[in-house]
Amino acid sequence: MSDEGVGATTVALQSFLSSLPGLDVAGDETEAIDRIAILEAIKSGCAAAQAVETMRLEELRREAETAAGVPVARQGRGLAAEVALARKASGSAGGRYLGFARAVMREMPHTRAALAAGVLTEWRATILVRETAHLTPRDRAEIDRRLCADPAALEGVGDRALDAEVKRIAYELDPQAVVDRHAHAVKDRRVSTRPAPDGMVRLSALLPLVSGISVYAALKKHADATVGADDRSHAQVMADALVERVTGAATVDALPVAVNLVVPDAVLLGDSTAAAHVSGYGPIPAATARAIVATSLDADAATTLRRLYKAPTSGALIAMDSTARLFPTGLKLFLDLRDQSCRIPYCDAPIAEYDHADPHARGGDTSASNGGGMCLAHNRAKQNPGWRMTTADHTDTTRHTATVTTPTGHSHVSRAPAPPGHHDEPISLIERRLRALLDAA
């Protein structure tokens, strides 16, 4: 957006931001520490200002939708996703930012003041908001007053200490609300995975208190009795026991696993050391990819090879062999491999749904060009009035792009990631523009 389209204050903020990297460096250690502290306080003040602007955005949107006759129950839909895009965050984070702004602006004035003054970091203010969300506005305001009315009381308080103190006062004010919250939280039990460094995966389980402690205690008891029988450490025995007890397999290598491994043919044949890619995990070393393939073949596993075709210059995935008879199934798999995660910018959530950029109801075709993998939250958000998504198919020089435009007119672009083994050629701005003109001609 040009300077003509924004207010003077916004232009001043942009100027301030651009000036920060150009500041002269500190003259000595004391000044360096002072600057680090001041910049941290500025970050907190910016978080407080973002909360103010977030609530102003909600106020303006509700006024506009009320004037347009939108029912109250439907007002503000998609707002969290817009906030997430503006803050370059995921859709779930956008919901937390919106809830945080509502709490500190409506019910927690002392927390907001401490944040604005740089006494509280944004994360510690988030702890206060999160751990009081189940309380009545009156009790929430009381905790806000007790902990944040005197900024000096927050000096030296760490994250865990603050979290414990909020919980203690909350239970003191309304023990039944805490009990009810614990009972409700049981519904959120789940198991999830996240990539970890060095070819590892972090398996997490959110369980009720007794269940979680019981699982850990059982694994620890087994390790206590087993460690020393071989060269495995206590932690390794616990990890192996978890896999064995959950899967029923005697060893990890005996597990039947379905893995979508995208690997260049040169890597598969040992002629390249480029990274491969595992769907739902990320890049892995070439040697690890070859080991996975070799292990699956040695184990006489049901291994299926599909050829993926890419444009030589841009690396855009353009086609795929498929053993599936139903085209939608093959198309979904292709979108999984091409997009790897939700196609909304800044969102790395797993793909949960597949949808049309140009809606099917308006004549949009069901194709790789017009399709994209989406997380649940963003696929719902883009159905709201004022949202628009357009796509540009791959060319010889560019990969598939998706442009999301929000109700405020702001546009955000995402480009399909490069497949394993591909490296974009450096192209000058002039050459890029010439190619665009030639493509359009």
Side-chain angles (χ1 to χ4, degrees):
M1 183 177 291
S2 65
D3 288 352
E4 292 80 3
V6 297
T9 302
T10 305
V11 174
L13 287 172
Q14 291 173 339
S15 176
F16 170 72
L17 178 62
S18 64
S19 69
L20 286 177
L23 293 175
D24 293 335
V25 295
D28 55 38
E29 295 180 7
T30 300
E31 186 180 5
I33 286 293
D34 288 341
R35 288 190 177 196
I36 291 171
I38 291 171
L39 289 169
E40 186 64 31
I42 289 174
K43 286 165 57 179
S44 298
C46 288
Q50 282 182 317
V52 173
E53 297 299 338
T54 299
M55 292 309 296
R56 178 58 175 160
L57 171 64
E58 183 176 55
E59 178 186 4
L60 292 169
R61 179 62 53 78
R62 289 193 178 278
E63 288 176 357
E65 291 181 334
T66 298
V70 178
V72 174
R74 297 180 57 189
Q75 292 180 6
R77 291 187 176 182
L79 201 60
E82 291 184 67
V83 172
L85 285 168
R87 296 191 60 167
K88 298 178 174 58
S90 67
S92 59
R96 292 194 297 271
Y97 292 144
L98 185 57
F100 175 85
R102 288 169 177 162
V104 298
M105 292 299 295
R106 294 174 180 172
E107 299 175 351
M108 307 180 74
H110 298 296
T111 299
R112 181 178 73 248
L115 183 65
V119 177
L120 271 179
T121 64
E122 184 177 19
W123 173 242
R124 290 180 184 172
T126 300
I127 291 175
L128 284 159
V129 170
R130 182 191 67 198
E131 297 302 327
T132 58
H134 59 293
L135 300 176
T136 64
R138 179 178 178 178
D139 287 341
R140 188 179 226 181
E142 175 63 13
I143 292 180
D144 176 60
R145 183 192 64 78
R146 289 195 195 184
L147 295 180
C148 298
D150 179 10
L154 296 168
E155 291 292 338
V157 179
D159 295 351
R160 293 181 65 179
L162 181 63
D163 182 87
E165 183 64 6
V166 177
K167 288 177 177 175
R168 184 190 68 77
I169 301 176
Y171 188 75
E172 171 190 312
L173 294 174
D174 191 347
Q176 187 59 49
V178 176
V179 172
D180 292 343
R181 184 190 189 192
H182 288 182
H184 180 76
V186 173
K187 299 178 181 178
D188 295 328
R189 61 189 183 278
R190 60 185 179 274
V191 177
S192 60
T193 61
R194 297 288 292 179
D198 305 323
M200 304 291 280
V201 170
R202 195 174 304 279
L203 174 68
S204 301
L206 182 64
L207 300 171
L209 177 64
V210 174
S211 298
I213 292 178
S214 298
V215 169
Y216 185 86
L219 294 173
K220 184 177 183 300
K221 181 179 180 180
H222 171 76
D224 291 342
T226 306
V227 70
D230 49 37
D231 59 356
R232 292 179 299 168
S233 68
H234 190 275
Q236 291 171 339
V237 172
M238 288 182 67
D240 292 345
L242 173 66
V243 175
E244 293 164 6
R245 295 187 180 192
V246 171
T247 64
T251 64
V252 175
D253 292 335
L255 291 176
V257 179
V259 176
N260 278 329
L261 172 67
V262 183
V263 55
D265 53 1
V267 170
L268 197 61
L269 297 174
D271 297 330
S272 172
T273 58
H277 184 90
V278 175
S279 294
Y281 177 81
I284 61 173
T288 303
R290 286 192 289 268
I292 291 175
V293 174
T295 300
S296 66
L297 294 175
D298 292 344
D300 196 25
T303 304
T304 301
L305 298 179
R306 291 186 175 90
R307 290 175 294 180
L308 292 167
Y309 300 90
K310 69 172 186 176
T313 303
S314 66
L317 294 181
I318 56 179
M320 177 185 72
D321 285 345
S322 177
T323 58
R325 294 186 178 183
L326 298 177
F327 172 73
T329 302
L331 179 57
K332 289 178 181 179
L333 178 57
F334 180 80
L335 294 178
D336 283 336
L337 298 175
R338 184 196 71 188
D339 296 344
Q340 298 180 15
S341 61
C342 177
R343 278 305 298 273
I344 298 296
Y346 314 119
C347 185
D348 56 1
I351 294 173
E353 296 182 342
Y354 309 85
D355 204 359
H356 305 74
D358 184 18
H360 186 268
R362 294 208 301 259
D365 58 344
T366 303
S367 65
S369 174
N370 191 47
M374 307 281 288
C375 71
L376 288 172
H378 276 130
N379 200 29
R380 300 294 185 273
K382 78 179 187 67
Q383 310 300 327
N384 292 302
W387 285 74
R388 186 173 74 258
M389 175 180 272
T390 58
T391 57
D393 206 359
H394 66 273
T395 67
D396 186 49
T397 58
T398 61
R399 294 190 291 277
H400 184 271
T401 60
T403 302
V404 178
T405 304
T406 63
T408 57
H410 291 81
S411 294
H412 307 267
V413 181
S414 74
R415 186 167 67 142
H422 176 80
H423 300 282
D424 291 333
E425 297 178 4
I427 302 175
S428 68
L429 179 61
I430 295 176
E431 184 179 359
R432 193 181 302 277
R433 289 179 176 175
L434 286 174
R435 288 185 177 185
L437 291 173
L438 290 173
D439 290 339

